């Protein structure tokens, strides 16, 4: 009996149990080689080593194919997160910097994220529908539905092979580029954006020089286009309210309005930052804490580069800010939603008025419908950016083009929103005839008054002269020196991938653009409204073609004027009036010269 008790005691002491003092640190097999016990691992311990996790990531197909373009020996590092039970791997290559980044699941050894090239530094280059505008507008049914309505409502259904239908298809052609962008394939999406831009540049230049549009055959009655426009406008508002997001561009608007109205400051140099400020919120999905106690004592979500736009961009948000305010956080931001909706509707209204003035009810209904149905205008609305403010002011300036002062005021308001319309200022100043000096002086006066009013917020600063320098440093300077993978021009930073340096080509095209802007001010010598619209579109397209940072949100900048140039019907020349000799002088007075 005594021997039995001793044996039992020894067995209990030596048995590898989960509750005993001894646990297995390696797999345990029986005499036949069968696994009978797995090793115990602490909850925070990793299954993979740093080297193993890095090797798995470096041998991922996407990563290994990208690293072939870098002849230098790469260096890497990997950190383990016990909370997420995964490894974050970083890869560098000499002067090229970080060229790959991703995550490896510790338990399975699977690569769950792999970002290469521009995707490392640019989150917006990583793809995934919904980052801009939310998932609804990027879904195939909604997007293709807008495309179908736009095409069906404006196409010449009697002549399917007409130039008008080709124009419509090209305007929708940016969709192909956007599809690749949403997949994170930047090196395919970017080149595909240039053919539509080049085609539209050529078409609008042709119309602007000739002064004649394309022959059209209207299909739908005016009342149906108006009804469709009203329905689409309501649908767009509903999508904005229920199924959209606010990106950093739209978030900047409420911040700037709050600084002007509540704090009595110009926005420039006063946007919320992260830095070493005290955190007042939780980390986001990437582990970054955006909510910080700012120097004004408020807990605000950071947007450090949001003060890069013109003063009118922030002033345009003041009405909505007075109604909805701003919580200090990057939350639902009703001020941004309300402003995006307002200016989207103003573009529809303005185009309707433009069409009525220069072409009658049919053209008014056509232009308003075109904006309401074009999917890229909803892309802007669903992203809640300031990119509908710029065209809205230009549209109303075009509607009031007969008044040089009003034309100058609205051109300035548009230019001091996002700067691009500065390229059309010479053209608008010399309309309709550059030989008429007095109207040009009135345009300059209107432009100057609007400019002074827009920049009056700099007087809120203790040192207005210093504020001017801050404005330059926060707006023009970073825009001039900006880097971006969303155009061909800055791909020189990926020269190791075999992509040529096109910086000199970009500079040459920039010079040509300035020459074109000056030439458009003088030729044709006398311009019709159709030519003003066409050349405005051409110059804005040319501006976008040479931008280092181009994006789909910029398409609505030129779209209203391209639509006018392409959709305005060609008018047949009026028959010559035959009059008796005694009334010939009366006819000369009635028929305008030229």
């Amino acid at each position: 009996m005594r021997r039995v008790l001793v044996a039992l005691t020894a067995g209990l002491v030596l048995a590898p149990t989960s509750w005993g003092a001894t646990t297995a640190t390696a797999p345990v097999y029986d005499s036949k080689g069968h696994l009978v016990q797995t090793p115990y691992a602490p909850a925070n311990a990793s299954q993979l080593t740093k080297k193993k996790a890095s090797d798995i990531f470096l041998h991922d197909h996407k990563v290994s194919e990208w690293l072939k373009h870098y002849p230098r020996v790469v260096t890497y590092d990997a950190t383990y997160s016990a909370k997420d039970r995964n490894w974050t791997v970083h890869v560098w290559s000499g002067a090229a910097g970080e060229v790959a980044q991703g995550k490896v699941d510790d338990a399975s050894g699977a690569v769950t994220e792999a970002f290469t090239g521009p995707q490392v530094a640019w989150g917006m280059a990583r793809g995934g529908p919904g980052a801009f505008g939310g998932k609804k507008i990027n879904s195939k049914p909604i997007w293709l539905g807008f495309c179908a309505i736009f095409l069906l409502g404006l196409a010449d259904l009697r002549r399917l092979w007409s130039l008008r239908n080709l124009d419509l298809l090209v305007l929708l052609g940016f969709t192909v580029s956007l599809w690749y962008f949403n997949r994170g394939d930047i090196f395919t999406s970017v080149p595909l954006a240039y053919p539509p831009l080049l085609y539209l540049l050529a078409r609008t230049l042709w119309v602007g020089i000739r002064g004649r549009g394309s022959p059209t055959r209207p299909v739908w009655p005016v009342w149906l286009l108006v009804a469709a426009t009203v329905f689409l406008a309501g649908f767009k508002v509903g999508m904005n309210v229920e199924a959209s997001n606010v990106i950093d561009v739209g978030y900047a608007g409420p911040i700037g309005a709050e600084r002007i109205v509540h704090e009595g400051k110009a926005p420039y140099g006063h946007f919320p930052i992260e830095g070493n400020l005290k955190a007042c919120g939780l980390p986001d999905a990437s582990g970054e804490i955006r909510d910080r106690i700012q120097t004004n004592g408020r807990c605000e979500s950071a947007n450090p580069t949001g003060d890069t736009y013109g003063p009118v961009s922030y002033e345009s948000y003041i009405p909505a800010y007075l109604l909805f305010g701003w919580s200090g956080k990057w939350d639902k931001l009703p001020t941004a939603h309300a402003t995006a909706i307002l200016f989207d509707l103003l573009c529809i209204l303005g185009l309707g008025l433009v069409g009525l003035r220069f072409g009658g009810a049919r053209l008014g209904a056509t232009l308003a419908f075109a904006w309401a149905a074009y999917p890229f205008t909803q892309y802007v609305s669903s992203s809640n950016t300031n990119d509908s403010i710029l065209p809205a002011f230009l549209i109303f300036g075009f509607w009031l083009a007969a008044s040089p002062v009003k034309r100058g005021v609205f051109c300035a308001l548009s230019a001091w929103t996002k700067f691009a319309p500065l390229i059309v200022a010479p053209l608008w100043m010399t309309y309709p005839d550059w030989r008429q000096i007095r109207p040009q002086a009135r345009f300059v006066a209107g432009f100057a008054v609007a400019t002074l009013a827009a920049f009056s917020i700099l007087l809120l600063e203790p040192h207005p002269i210093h504020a001017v320098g801050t404005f330059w440093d926060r707006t023009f300077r970073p825009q001039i020196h900006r880097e971006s993978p969303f155009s061909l021009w800055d791909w020189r930073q990926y020269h190791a991938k075999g992509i040529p340096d096109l910086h000199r080509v970009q500079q040459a095209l920039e010079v040509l653009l300035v020459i074109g802007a000056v030439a458009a001010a003088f030729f044709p010598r006398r311009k019709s409204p159709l030519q003003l619209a066409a050349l405005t579109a051409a110059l804005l397209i040319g501006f976008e073609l040479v931008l280092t940072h181009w994006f789909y949100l910029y398409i609505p900048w030129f779209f209203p004027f391209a639509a006018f140039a392409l959709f305005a019907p060609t008018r047949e020349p009026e028959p010559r009036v035959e009059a008796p000799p005694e009334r010939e002088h009366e006819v000369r007075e009635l028929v305008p010269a030229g």
Side-chain angles (χ1 to χ4, degrees), residues 1-296:
M1 184 67 178
R2 188 174 182 179
R3 293 179 180 177
V4 174
L5 291 175
V6 172
L8 288 173
T9 302
L12 291 172
V13 171
L14 296 175
T17 61
S18 61
W19 51 267
T22 303
T23 57
T25 58
V28 178
Y29 301 90
D30 61 16
S31 59
K32 296 183 179 180
H34 298 143
L35 181 68
V36 296
Q37 187 175 355
T38 56
Y40 168 77
N44 293 334
S46 61
Q47 300 290 331
L48 302 174
T49 64
K50 176 185 292 190
K51 185 178 187 308
K52 182 63 176 176
S54 300
D55 287 342
I56 292 174
F57 181 73
L58 291 173
H59 285 87
D60 178 78
H61 178 71
K62 177 181 178 181
V63 177
S64 61
E65 287 298 313
W66 180 258
L67 294 181
K68 288 179 181 178
H69 303 295
Y70 295 88
R72 287 195 173 191
V73 177
V74 298
T75 59
Y76 59 85
D77 188 23
T79 56
Y80 177 68
S81 171
K83 178 183 177 182
D84 301 321
R85 295 191 64 80
N86 62 28
W87 292 84
T88 300
V89 184
H90 301 270
V91 184
W92 297 271
S93 177
E98 190 173 7
V99 295
Q101 179 190 119
K103 295 183 182 297
V104 178
D105 181 68
D106 183 68
S108 65
V111 176
T112 57
E113 287 183 357
F115 302 127
T116 58
Q119 295 178 331
V120 175
W122 290 83
M124 60 188 290
R126 298 175 181 178
F132 292 84
K135 292 184 178 180
K136 283 291 185 181
I137 185 59
N138 287 283
S139 66
K140 290 182 180 178
I142 298 296
W143 188 272
L144 294 180
F146 270 104
C147 292
I149 294 172
F150 179 80
L151 188 60
L152 183 63
L154 297 174
D156 187 346
L157 300 180
R158 298 186 182 93
R159 296 186 304 165
L160 296 180
W161 300 106
S162 64
L163 186 59
R164 179 189 182 94
N165 292 345
L166 177 60
D167 294 338
L168 294 172
L169 290 174
V170 172
L171 284 168
L172 294 174
F174 295 102
T175 297
V176 180
S177 174
L178 179 62
W179 187 77
Y180 281 99
F181 169 79
N182 284 336
R183 296 181 61 192
D185 190 351
I186 300 301
F187 293 111
T188 302
S189 68
V190 170
L192 287 175
Y194 286 92
L197 287 172
L198 290 171
Y199 173 90
L200 293 171
L201 174 64
R203 282 285 288 126
T204 52
L205 272 178
W206 181 250
V207 174
I209 294 172
R210 293 179 67 242
R212 293 176 63 82
S214 302
T216 60
R217 295 186 179 185
V219 175
W220 308 112
V222 172
W223 69 265
L224 184 57
L225 288 175
V226 172
T229 302
V230 172
F231 171 80
L232 287 170
F235 184 78
K236 286 160 70 76
V237 171
M239 280 197 63
N240 183 293
V241 173
E242 298 295 335
S244 70
N245 61 9
V246 182
I247 65 173
D248 57 347
V249 179
Y251 177 40
I255 299 174
E258 192 275 342
R259 296 298 191 257
I260 296 170
V261 175
H262 184 73
E263 298 190 17
K265 298 178 180 178
Y268 307 104
H270 298 297
F271 263 50
I273 61 175
E274 293 182 33
N276 296 321
L277 301 178
K278 182 181 178 181
C280 56
L282 299 175
D284 57 17
S286 61
E288 185 179 7
I289 301 178
R290 288 185 172 273
D291 296 344
R292 304 277 178 168
I293 302 295
Q294 303 298 315
T295 55
N296 59 9

